[in-house]
Amino acid sequence: MKPTTDPRVAPNESPKTYRVKSFGCQMNVYDGERMGELLDEKGLSPAPEGEDADLVVLNTCHIREKAAEKIYSDIGRLTKGKTQKKAPMIAVAGCVAQAEGEEIMTRAPAVSMVVGPQAYHRLPDMLDSAVAGERATDTDMPAIAKFGALPARKRRSPTAFLTVQEGCDKFCTYCVVPYTRGAEISRPFSDLIDEARRLIEAGAREITLLGQNVNAWAGEDDAGRPVGLAGLIRAIAKLDGVERLRYTTSHPNDMEDDLIAAHGEVAKLMPYLHLPVQSGNDRVLKAMNRAHTAESYLRLLERFREARPDIALSGDFIVGFPGETEEEFQDTLAVIDEVRYSQAFSFKYSPRPGTPAATMDNQIPRDVMDDRLARLQERLNRDQRAFNDALVGKTCSILVERKGKLPGQWLGKSPWLTSVWFEGAAEIGDLIEVELVDAGPNSIAGRIPQTANAT
Ligand code: 5AD
Ligand code: SF4
């Protein structure tokens, strides 16, 4: 930790309430929850909805330029009283903190703390410094030390994230993650079983295992045998109380046979796979350093479909990677037409400082990227709608996550991760049989069949 005394920063009153705002990926959501738990232990409490917080933690994302720039406007809004009446103490966490810590400290004097994704277990100590008027930056990357220093899980929720693996060694040429999150590391098997147990005790019925390359997770089971992600999934599935398991995000090159097989064998493993392809053209994939081809990706998906015929497929796409021609872009559309994703995420290429692609020739003009993204999303929307339409008439279990907008309405997820809303007798955390009756572009309306009982 590097404390810096700054004459502009007066000693602050000790904050009593906090709010963590997480942007970007689900790993940030997990980190945000854990920072909240640390602050709870320190005696702070979450600011009630709609009320000012004394401390605001901006848990940032650096993956695309827009996401990274957002932080400065958020800080401005907080200090100018636009977000809440009283300007709070501000901490910046997450990947922008890691990548631009020093710059944030210079550019935003209102920020008291800057803490990277591998150092946030030190947030309570940094808070003491901030209260004493010292601004503090901590962007160290100690391998895995963080998890041992975090308090036990206790957040009550029917769905929970569990980070099993962090970091990335793949170095796709467009991506900042290997620089902001560091090298791939796997958390130990026994720690994960322990954390899963605690999540279940706190009410989790669905656990999503998280990692930048979650399927690269590797460890040793209690008997000292080497296990991969499939082994971890099989072990967590044996725990009483958890009913659903998911994992994200995977890389095509780390896919083991056993993980594919698990989709056909482990009933609690949900029929859903998020497997980014980024591009459907082999020249572009090579320039991206993806180390797979469009064909090898498609064959992999075929094997998942053989193991679990109803599996819903999701992916990530980048349009306008440097040098991408119209014909190469069309190869991506061809992959979409072949796979028919149930949902997917798509982005315009965004040059990230320090990555090889940022300085490649033939950066694609914005209007070309806009046009390609619109055409690509039209197909993804078409397929998502078709997927939802095909579910109508089916009855499936829905895990109730929260109340809907209208009184008596509930919102939950199908096994295929579609949002489903319905009315009737239910509670948050119920797994309930619901008949799917009416599909929309992003969700499906359901109803409880007369004979069904909540479990
Ligand atoms: N520009 C646009 N999209 C990106 N992604 C990662 N880096 C970039 C970038 N520089 C996308 C990829 C990845 C997802 C998390 O974000 O599709 O899978
Ligand atoms: Fe980024 Fe590629 Fe690693 Fe995914 S696999 S985090 S896109 S470098």
Short mmCIF file of all heavy atoms in Angstrom, two decimals, residues 25 61-65 172-177 249-250 274-278 288 290 315-319 321 345-352 355 357 369, ligand 1:
data_model
loop_
_atom_site.label_atom_id
_atom_site.label_comp_id
_atom_site.label_asym_id
_atom_site.label_seq_id
_atom_site.Cartn_x
_atom_site.Cartn_y
_atom_site.Cartn_z
N CYS A 25 -18.13 -7.09 -15.75
CA CYS A 25 -18.40 -8.52 -15.75
C CYS A 25 -18.91 -9.03 -14.39
O CYS A 25 -18.89 -8.32 -13.39
CB CYS A 25 -17.15 -9.29 -16.16
SG CYS A 25 -15.83 -9.15 -14.94
N CYS A 61 -14.67 -1.15 -14.71
CA CYS A 61 -14.35 -2.07 -15.80
C CYS A 61 -13.50 -1.34 -16.83
O CYS A 61 -13.79 -0.21 -17.19
CB CYS A 61 -15.65 -2.55 -16.43
SG CYS A 61 -15.42 -3.50 -17.94
N HIS A 62 -12.47 -2.02 -17.32
CA HIS A 62 -11.52 -1.39 -18.25
C HIS A 62 -11.56 -2.04 -19.63
O HIS A 62 -10.73 -1.74 -20.49
CB HIS A 62 -10.11 -1.56 -17.65
CG HIS A 62 -9.08 -0.62 -18.20
ND1 HIS A 62 -7.96 -1.06 -18.85
CD2 HIS A 62 -9.00 0.71 -18.20
CE1 HIS A 62 -7.22 -0.02 -19.22
NE2 HIS A 62 -7.84 1.06 -18.84
N ILE A 63 -12.55 -2.91 -19.84
CA ILE A 63 -12.49 -3.77 -21.04
C ILE A 63 -12.64 -2.97 -22.33
O ILE A 63 -12.01 -3.27 -23.32
CB ILE A 63 -13.49 -4.94 -20.95
CG1 ILE A 63 -13.11 -6.07 -21.90
CG2 ILE A 63 -14.93 -4.51 -21.18
CD1 ILE A 63 -12.62 -7.27 -21.23
N ARG A 64 -13.49 -1.96 -22.31
CA ARG A 64 -13.65 -1.09 -23.48
C ARG A 64 -13.53 0.36 -23.04
O ARG A 64 -13.78 0.69 -21.89
CB ARG A 64 -15.00 -1.34 -24.16
CG ARG A 64 -15.01 -2.63 -24.97
CD ARG A 64 -16.39 -3.01 -25.40
NE ARG A 64 -17.21 -3.38 -24.27
CZ ARG A 64 -17.26 -4.59 -23.72
NH1 ARG A 64 -16.55 -5.56 -24.23
NH2 ARG A 64 -18.01 -4.83 -22.68
N GLU A 65 -13.17 1.22 -24.01
CA GLU A 65 -12.88 2.61 -23.68
C GLU A 65 -14.05 3.30 -22.97
O GLU A 65 -13.87 3.99 -21.98
CB GLU A 65 -12.57 3.36 -24.98
CG GLU A 65 -11.98 4.72 -24.78
CD GLU A 65 -11.72 5.39 -26.12
OE1 GLU A 65 -11.96 4.78 -27.17
OE2 GLU A 65 -11.28 6.56 -26.09
N CYS A 172 -5.21 -12.51 -25.76
CA CYS A 172 -5.86 -12.12 -27.00
C CYS A 172 -5.39 -10.69 -27.27
O CYS A 172 -5.28 -9.88 -26.34
CB CYS A 172 -7.38 -12.17 -26.85
SG CYS A 172 -7.98 -13.82 -26.46
N THR A 173 -5.11 -10.38 -28.53
CA THR A 173 -4.36 -9.14 -28.80
C THR A 173 -5.16 -7.86 -28.56
O THR A 173 -4.61 -6.77 -28.54
CB THR A 173 -3.83 -9.13 -30.25
OG1 THR A 173 -4.95 -9.38 -31.13
CG2 THR A 173 -2.76 -10.18 -30.46
N TYR A 174 -6.49 -7.99 -28.39
CA TYR A 174 -7.33 -6.80 -28.14
C TYR A 174 -7.58 -6.56 -26.66
O TYR A 174 -8.16 -5.55 -26.30
CB TYR A 174 -8.70 -6.98 -28.85
CG TYR A 174 -9.35 -8.32 -28.52
CD1 TYR A 174 -10.03 -8.49 -27.33
CD2 TYR A 174 -9.21 -9.41 -29.37
CE1 TYR A 174 -10.57 -9.73 -27.00
CE2 TYR A 174 -9.75 -10.63 -29.05
CZ TYR A 174 -10.43 -10.78 -27.86
OH TYR A 174 -10.94 -12.01 -27.53
N CYS A 175 -7.19 -7.49 -25.79
CA CYS A 175 -7.77 -7.55 -24.45
C CYS A 175 -6.84 -7.07 -23.33
O CYS A 175 -5.66 -7.44 -23.29
CB CYS A 175 -8.22 -8.98 -24.17
SG CYS A 175 -9.12 -9.14 -22.63
N VAL A 176 -7.38 -6.31 -22.41
CA VAL A 176 -6.58 -5.79 -21.28
C VAL A 176 -6.55 -6.74 -20.08
O VAL A 176 -5.74 -6.55 -19.16
CB VAL A 176 -7.14 -4.44 -20.73
CG1 VAL A 176 -6.81 -3.29 -21.64
CG2 VAL A 176 -8.62 -4.52 -20.42
N VAL A 177 -7.41 -7.74 -20.09
CA VAL A 177 -7.56 -8.57 -18.88
C VAL A 177 -6.25 -9.17 -18.36
O VAL A 177 -5.97 -9.12 -17.16
CB VAL A 177 -8.66 -9.65 -19.08
CG1 VAL A 177 -8.61 -10.70 -17.99
CG2 VAL A 177 -10.03 -8.98 -19.10
N THR A 249 -16.61 -17.50 -17.53
CA THR A 249 -16.65 -17.65 -18.96
C THR A 249 -15.59 -18.66 -19.40
O THR A 249 -14.50 -18.66 -18.86
CB THR A 249 -16.33 -16.30 -19.62
OG1 THR A 249 -17.45 -15.44 -19.46
CG2 THR A 249 -16.06 -16.41 -21.08
N SER A 250 -15.89 -19.40 -20.44
CA SER A 250 -14.96 -20.44 -20.88
C SER A 250 -14.19 -20.01 -22.13
O SER A 250 -14.64 -19.14 -22.87
CB SER A 250 -15.74 -21.71 -21.22
OG SER A 250 -16.47 -22.14 -20.11
N HIS A 274 -21.77 -20.48 -22.13
CA HIS A 274 -21.28 -19.23 -22.72
C HIS A 274 -19.88 -19.48 -23.22
O HIS A 274 -18.96 -19.70 -22.43
CB HIS A 274 -21.29 -18.12 -21.65
CG HIS A 274 -20.82 -16.81 -22.19
ND1 HIS A 274 -19.73 -16.15 -21.70
CD2 HIS A 274 -21.28 -16.03 -23.20
CE1 HIS A 274 -19.54 -15.03 -22.38
NE2 HIS A 274 -20.48 -14.93 -23.29
N LEU A 275 -19.72 -19.51 -24.54
CA LEU A 275 -18.41 -19.80 -25.13
C LEU A 275 -18.10 -18.77 -26.22
O LEU A 275 -18.54 -18.90 -27.37
CB LEU A 275 -18.41 -21.23 -25.72
CG LEU A 275 -17.03 -21.76 -26.08
CD1 LEU A 275 -16.13 -21.92 -24.86
CD2 LEU A 275 -17.14 -23.10 -26.80
N PRO A 276 -17.35 -17.72 -25.86
CA PRO A 276 -17.05 -16.67 -26.84
C PRO A 276 -16.26 -17.19 -28.03
O PRO A 276 -15.39 -18.04 -27.88
CB PRO A 276 -16.19 -15.68 -26.03
CG PRO A 276 -16.57 -15.92 -24.61
CD PRO A 276 -16.84 -17.40 -24.52
N VAL A 277 -16.60 -16.66 -29.23
CA VAL A 277 -15.84 -17.00 -30.43
C VAL A 277 -15.12 -15.76 -30.97
O VAL A 277 -14.09 -15.86 -31.59
CB VAL A 277 -16.75 -17.64 -31.50
CG1 VAL A 277 -17.79 -16.67 -32.01
CG2 VAL A 277 -15.95 -18.20 -32.65
N GLN A 278 -15.71 -14.59 -30.75
CA GLN A 278 -15.18 -13.27 -31.14
C GLN A 278 -15.27 -12.99 -32.63
O GLN A 278 -15.71 -11.93 -33.05
CB GLN A 278 -13.72 -13.05 -30.67
CG GLN A 278 -13.40 -13.48 -29.24
CD GLN A 278 -14.17 -12.73 -28.16
OE1 GLN A 278 -14.94 -11.84 -28.43
NE2 GLN A 278 -13.97 -13.11 -26.90
N MET A 288 -6.12 -12.13 -33.71
CA MET A 288 -6.57 -11.92 -32.33
C MET A 288 -5.82 -12.80 -31.33
O MET A 288 -6.03 -12.70 -30.13
CB MET A 288 -8.07 -12.27 -32.20
CG MET A 288 -9.02 -11.27 -32.83
SD MET A 288 -10.72 -11.92 -32.66
CE MET A 288 -11.67 -10.42 -32.97
N ARG A 290 -6.33 -16.02 -30.92
CA ARG A 290 -7.33 -16.85 -30.25
C ARG A 290 -6.94 -18.32 -30.22
O ARG A 290 -7.49 -19.10 -29.42
CB ARG A 290 -8.69 -16.71 -30.94
CG ARG A 290 -9.35 -15.38 -30.73
CD ARG A 290 -9.84 -15.19 -29.31
NE ARG A 290 -10.91 -16.12 -28.98
CZ ARG A 290 -11.47 -16.19 -27.78
NH1 ARG A 290 -11.04 -15.42 -26.79
NH2 ARG A 290 -12.44 -17.04 -27.54
N GLY A 315 -22.52 -16.47 -26.63
CA GLY A 315 -21.15 -16.16 -27.04
C GLY A 315 -20.86 -14.68 -26.97
O GLY A 315 -21.74 -13.88 -26.61
N ASP A 316 -19.62 -14.32 -27.27
CA ASP A 316 -19.22 -12.91 -27.39
C ASP A 316 -18.67 -12.69 -28.80
O ASP A 316 -17.99 -13.58 -29.34
CB ASP A 316 -18.08 -12.57 -26.41
CG ASP A 316 -18.52 -12.53 -24.97
OD1 ASP A 316 -19.74 -12.54 -24.69
OD2 ASP A 316 -17.64 -12.49 -24.09
N PHE A 317 -18.91 -11.49 -29.32
CA PHE A 317 -18.42 -11.14 -30.66
C PHE A 317 -17.80 -9.75 -30.64
O PHE A 317 -18.29 -8.86 -29.95
CB PHE A 317 -19.57 -11.11 -31.68
CG PHE A 317 -20.24 -12.43 -31.82
CD1 PHE A 317 -21.31 -12.76 -31.00
CD2 PHE A 317 -19.78 -13.34 -32.74
CE1 PHE A 317 -21.91 -14.00 -31.11
CE2 PHE A 317 -20.37 -14.59 -32.85
CZ PHE A 317 -21.45 -14.92 -32.03
N ILE A 318 -16.74 -9.58 -31.41
CA ILE A 318 -16.16 -8.25 -31.62
C ILE A 318 -16.25 -7.95 -33.11
O ILE A 318 -15.80 -8.77 -33.93
CB ILE A 318 -14.69 -8.21 -31.17
CG1 ILE A 318 -14.60 -8.46 -29.65
CG2 ILE A 318 -14.05 -6.87 -31.53
CD1 ILE A 318 -13.18 -8.54 -29.13
N VAL A 319 -16.83 -6.82 -33.47
CA VAL A 319 -16.81 -6.42 -34.89
C VAL A 319 -15.79 -5.30 -35.07
O VAL A 319 -15.54 -4.52 -34.15
CB VAL A 319 -18.20 -5.92 -35.39
CG1 VAL A 319 -19.24 -7.00 -35.24
CG2 VAL A 319 -18.63 -4.63 -34.70
N PHE A 321 -12.47 -5.56 -35.72
CA PHE A 321 -11.07 -5.76 -35.30
C PHE A 321 -10.18 -5.21 -36.42
O PHE A 321 -10.54 -5.30 -37.60
CB PHE A 321 -10.82 -7.26 -35.07
CG PHE A 321 -9.45 -7.55 -34.55
CD1 PHE A 321 -9.16 -7.38 -33.21
CD2 PHE A 321 -8.43 -7.98 -35.41
CE1 PHE A 321 -7.88 -7.63 -32.72
CE2 PHE A 321 -7.16 -8.23 -34.94
CZ PHE A 321 -6.89 -8.05 -33.58
N PHE A 345 -23.44 -11.58 -26.63
CA PHE A 345 -22.97 -10.22 -26.36
C PHE A 345 -22.07 -9.80 -27.51
O PHE A 345 -21.21 -10.58 -27.94
CB PHE A 345 -22.19 -10.20 -25.04
CG PHE A 345 -23.00 -10.76 -23.91
CD1 PHE A 345 -22.95 -12.12 -23.61
CD2 PHE A 345 -23.84 -9.96 -23.17
CE1 PHE A 345 -23.72 -12.66 -22.59
CE2 PHE A 345 -24.63 -10.48 -22.15
CZ PHE A 345 -24.56 -11.83 -21.86
N SER A 346 -22.27 -8.58 -27.99
CA SER A 346 -21.48 -8.16 -29.15
C SER A 346 -21.00 -6.72 -28.97
O SER A 346 -21.73 -5.89 -28.41
CB SER A 346 -22.33 -8.28 -30.42
OG SER A 346 -23.59 -7.67 -30.23
N PHE A 347 -19.80 -6.49 -29.44
CA PHE A 347 -19.14 -5.21 -29.17
C PHE A 347 -18.41 -4.71 -30.40
O PHE A 347 -17.92 -5.50 -31.20
CB PHE A 347 -18.09 -5.40 -28.05
CG PHE A 347 -18.60 -6.18 -26.88
CD1 PHE A 347 -18.32 -7.54 -26.75
CD2 PHE A 347 -19.38 -5.57 -25.91
CE1 PHE A 347 -18.80 -8.27 -25.67
CE2 PHE A 347 -19.86 -6.29 -24.83
CZ PHE A 347 -19.57 -7.64 -24.70
N LYS A 348 -18.29 -3.36 -30.45
CA LYS A 348 -17.40 -2.76 -31.45
C LYS A 348 -15.98 -2.85 -30.88
O LYS A 348 -15.79 -2.62 -29.67
CB LYS A 348 -17.75 -1.29 -31.64
CG LYS A 348 -18.97 -1.09 -32.48
CD LYS A 348 -19.24 0.39 -32.70
CE LYS A 348 -20.11 0.92 -31.59
NZ LYS A 348 -20.61 2.26 -31.78
N TYR A 349 -15.03 -3.17 -31.71
CA TYR A 349 -13.65 -3.22 -31.24
C TYR A 349 -13.26 -1.87 -30.64
O TYR A 349 -13.54 -0.81 -31.20
CB TYR A 349 -12.70 -3.57 -32.40
CG TYR A 349 -11.27 -3.33 -32.02
CD1 TYR A 349 -10.65 -4.15 -31.09
CD2 TYR A 349 -10.56 -2.24 -32.54
CE1 TYR A 349 -9.34 -3.91 -30.68
CE2 TYR A 349 -9.26 -1.99 -32.14
CZ TYR A 349 -8.66 -2.83 -31.21
OH TYR A 349 -7.38 -2.57 -30.80
N SER A 350 -12.63 -1.92 -29.48
CA SER A 350 -12.20 -0.70 -28.79
C SER A 350 -10.71 -0.82 -28.49
O SER A 350 -10.30 -1.74 -27.78
CB SER A 350 -13.02 -0.59 -27.49
OG SER A 350 -12.52 0.39 -26.65
N PRO A 351 -9.88 0.05 -29.08
CA PRO A 351 -8.43 -0.09 -28.84
C PRO A 351 -8.09 0.18 -27.38
O PRO A 351 -8.52 1.20 -26.84
CB PRO A 351 -7.81 0.99 -29.74
CG PRO A 351 -8.94 1.80 -30.28
CD PRO A 351 -10.24 1.19 -29.91
N ARG A 352 -7.38 -0.74 -26.75
CA ARG A 352 -7.01 -0.58 -25.35
C ARG A 352 -5.52 -0.30 -25.23
O ARG A 352 -4.71 -1.06 -25.80
CB ARG A 352 -7.38 -1.82 -24.52
CG ARG A 352 -8.80 -2.30 -24.66
CD ARG A 352 -9.85 -1.20 -24.43
NE ARG A 352 -9.86 -0.63 -23.10
CZ ARG A 352 -9.78 0.69 -22.83
NH1 ARG A 352 -9.66 1.57 -23.81
NH2 ARG A 352 -9.81 1.12 -21.60
N THR A 355 -2.22 -2.87 -25.47
CA THR A 355 -2.49 -4.17 -26.11
C THR A 355 -1.96 -4.13 -27.55
O THR A 355 -1.96 -3.07 -28.18
CB THR A 355 -4.01 -4.47 -26.14
OG1 THR A 355 -4.68 -3.45 -26.88
CG2 THR A 355 -4.59 -4.55 -24.75
N ALA A 357 -3.16 -5.05 -30.41
CA ALA A 357 -4.07 -4.67 -31.50
C ALA A 357 -4.24 -3.15 -31.59
O ALA A 357 -4.58 -2.63 -32.66
CB ALA A 357 -5.43 -5.33 -31.31
N MET A 369 -17.91 0.11 -38.30
CA MET A 369 -18.17 -0.73 -37.11
C MET A 369 -19.64 -0.65 -36.72
O MET A 369 -20.26 -1.65 -36.38
CB MET A 369 -17.33 -0.25 -35.93
CG MET A 369 -15.89 -0.61 -36.06
SD MET A 369 -15.15 -0.80 -34.44
CE MET A 369 -14.09 0.59 -34.39
N1 5AD B 1 -12.89 -4.22 -27.67
C1 5AD B 1 -14.14 -4.73 -27.78
N2 5AD B 1 -14.56 -5.80 -27.09
C2 5AD B 1 -13.69 -6.39 -26.25
N3 5AD B 1 -13.81 -7.46 -25.46
C3 5AD B 1 -12.65 -7.63 -24.81
N4 5AD B 1 -11.76 -6.70 -25.18
C4 5AD B 1 -12.39 -5.91 -26.09
C5 5AD B 1 -11.98 -4.79 -26.84
N5 5AD B 1 -10.76 -4.27 -26.74
C6 5AD B 1 -15.02 -8.28 -25.38
C7 5AD B 1 -14.76 -9.73 -25.80
C8 5AD B 1 -14.79 -10.45 -24.49
C9 5AD B 1 -15.80 -9.63 -23.71
C10 5AD B 1 -15.75 -9.83 -22.24
O1 5AD B 1 -15.48 -8.31 -24.04
O2 5AD B 1 -15.82 -10.14 -26.63
O3 5AD B 1 -15.18 -11.80 -24.62
#
